[in-house]
Amino acid sequence: AAAAAAAAAAGSALGKTKSLIESIPTSKQAIFEYPLDWAVYDSAQLGGSVQRWVSKKVAELLGEEEPSLVEFVVEKAAEHLSAAAMVEELSPVLDSEAEPFVIKLWRMLIYEVLKAKEIAGGA
């Protein structure tokens, strides 16, 4: 019975994660207009998650780790920069990859904020 309960709980958590992911916009316009709850970002201290994600993606994009760029992106997120402004800031470094990078970053931010709200019971 305990195994069945654990499986049900895991299924429920998986269902919640899936519905969270499905609630995240996919179009550039919808993502850039999404009202990100920066208060939740700050209170849930999501900077660490952002840093890990950005570090991985920057290494994939550039073929090597780039700590100063990672730090720059994390700082800009902490300043609550808009997605469009983030693209502008990153364009000189990432060129044509800046916009797709920021779209993925914002989808991750939206997911992390929604997940933090759900954990806090404020979903």
Side-chain angles (χ1 to χ4, degrees):
S12 171
L14 189 63
K16 283 182 180 177
T17 299
K18 189 174 182 214
S19 68
L20 266 184
I21 291 169
E22 288 171 353
S23 73
I24 299 170
T26 53
S27 77
K28 173 192 163 189
Q29 183 178 354
I31 290 167
F32 280 29
E33 292 174 357
Y34 190 90
L36 200 58
D37 192 335
W38 290 108
V40 171
Y41 175 87
D42 293 339
S43 66
Q45 299 176 334
L46 296 175
S49 297
V50 171
Q51 184 164 5
R52 286 187 297 277
W53 186 91
V54 171
S55 183
K56 181 179 162 200
K57 292 300 177 189
V58 165
E60 286 173 12
L61 273 175
L62 302 179
E64 62 185 357
E65 292 194 10
E66 195 61 60
S68 58
L69 179 59
V70 172
E71 188 177 318
F72 178 79
V73 172
V74 172
E75 284 175 8
K76 292 300 175 187
E79 293 170 12
H80 307 166
L81 206 62
S82 71
M86 185 74 85
V87 170
E88 282 181 35
E89 292 281 352
L90 294 175
S91 286
V93 180
L94 298 179
D95 298 319
S96 63
E97 292 296 325
E99 187 174 286
F101 176 83
V102 172
I103 288 170
K104 290 174 190 160
L105 172 62
W106 244 250
R107 291 197 80 221
M108 187 275 296
L109 284 173
I110 293 166
Y111 172 78
E112 290 294 339
V113 165
L114 291 174
K115 189 172 83 171
K117 275 184 170 178
E118 193 170 87
I119 291 168

